[in-house]
Amino acid sequence: QVQLVESGGGSVQAGGSLRLSCAASGYIYGRHCMGWVRQAPGKEREGVASINSDGRTSYADSVKGRFTISSDNAENTLSLQMNSLKPEDTAMYYCAATSDPFYRYNCYPYEYTFNLWGQGTQVTVSS
C-alpha cells in the first residue's frame, strides 16, 4: 500500500521560511511525477510544484523564485523549501504522486496529474 506522509508545516511570519518533507513508502520512488498541491480555506486545490523522475521541475507562477522542490531517491523523500513566505501562502499542503507513466513527461503541478495523496500539513503565514 502506498503511503505519503508529510511533515514540516507550522506557523511563520511573512518573509520567513519553512521546509516541508514527504516520506514515501510502498511506492517505487522516483517513478513518473511527484509534487505539492495546496488548498486554502474556501478555495480550490492549487498546484504548487512538481518534479519528475528525471529531476525536471515545474512551478506555479505564484511561487516561482521563492519555492524549491527536490527529491532524494535514496531516502525516498520529497521536499519543498519555501522562502519569502506570504500570508497568501497559508494553506494545507499535500504531497502527491502519480502511478500513471503518461505524466513522467507531462509532469506539471496540476491537481489532475496526481492520483496518490498524503494527509496534508498546515502552513500558516502571518502578516
Side-chain angles (χ1 to χ4, degrees):
Q1 183 177 355
V2 176
Q3 279 194 317
L4 302 174
V5 180
E6 303 95 335
S7 61
S11 298
V12 66
Q13 289 191 327
S17 299
L18 282 174
R19 185 177 181 87
L20 306 183
S21 294
C22 174
S25 61
Y27 177 68
I28 302 176
Y29 190 78
R31 173 176 288 184
H32 313 323
C33 177
M34 296 189 73
W36 293 92
V37 176
R38 66 187 181 187
Q39 187 169 25
K43 295 188 177 181
E44 295 184 351
R45 284 189 177 182
E46 174 192 22
V48 175
S50 61
I51 184 168
N52 76 352
S53 54
D54 297 323
R56 183 172 298 180
T57 60
S58 183
Y59 296 92
D61 287 343
S62 59
V63 306
K64 279 181 181 177
R66 300 189 298 122
F67 291 11
T68 303
I69 189 172
S70 60
S71 62
D72 185 332
N73 289 355
E75 296 294 327
N76 284 357
T77 58
L78 180 74
S79 298
L80 184 69
Q81 178 66 42
M82 305 186 294
N83 298 329
S84 302
L85 283 161
K86 304 175 181 180
E88 51 263 45
D89 294 318
T90 295
M92 184 72 77
Y93 283 71
Y94 297 92
C95 174
T98 181
S99 57
D100 189 337
F102 170 81
Y103 289 105
R104 178 179 179 184
Y105 297 109
N106 295 278
C107 183
Y108 300 104
Y110 301 127
E111 184 181 1
Y112 62 74
T113 298
F114 308 109
N115 56 11
L116 302 167
W117 297 87
Q119 83 287 351
T121 186
Q122 179 68 38
V123 171
T124 302
V125 185
S126 58
S127 58

